[in-house]
């Protein structure tokens, strides 16, 4: 059976901005609020919610991070062709 996961993410163009957002998250900032304010991905409108997806559906670097990083902990920045992602994996199986 294919592995699946659900995650939130914040996508920004600059690594420095991604690191600054991660620092805010580590101090207790709301992931959803920061996603709505800063994410360049359409998912930002929904607090960065990507919903459920299968392993292999996302670009390789993002996919690898989602299926290896700690759960429920903001992780990143992860660089892809789209920019820099901060990822929060809600669950995976």
């Amino acid at each position: 059976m294919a592995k699946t996961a659900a995650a939130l993410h914040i996508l920004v163009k600059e690594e420095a901005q991604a690191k600054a957002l991660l620092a805010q998250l580590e101090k207790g900032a709301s992931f959803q609020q920061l996603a709505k304010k800063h994410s360049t991905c359409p998912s930002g409108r929904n607090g960065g919610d990507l919903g459920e997806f299968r392993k292999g559906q996302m670009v390789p670097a993002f996919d690898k991070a989602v299926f290896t990083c700690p759960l429920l902990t903001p992780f990143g920045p992860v660089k892809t062709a789209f920019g820099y992602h901060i990822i929060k994996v809600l669950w995976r199986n």
Side-chain angles (χ1 to χ4, degrees), residues 36-78:
K36 285 178 182 171
K37 189 171 177 185
H38 299 285
S39 187
T40 61
C41 178
S43 71
R45 287 193 301 272
N46 303 320
D49 191 353
L50 295 170
E52 183 180 333
F53 51 90
R54 285 188 310 282
K55 188 167 173 56
Q57 270 188 289
M58 301 293 181
V59 294
F62 188 93
D63 200 64
K64 180 175 188 254
V66 165
F67 287 95
T68 58
C69 75
L71 290 174
L72 302 174
T73 305
F75 177 82
V78 175

Side-chain angles (χ1 to χ4, degrees), residues 21-44:
L21 291 170
L22 189 60
Q24 289 180 50
L25 291 166
E26 286 168 354
K27 291 183 183 128
S30 161
F31 199 100
Q32 284 88 347
Q33 291 299 323
L34 290 180
K36 285 178 182 171
K37 189 171 177 185
H38 299 285
S39 187
T40 61
C41 178
S43 71

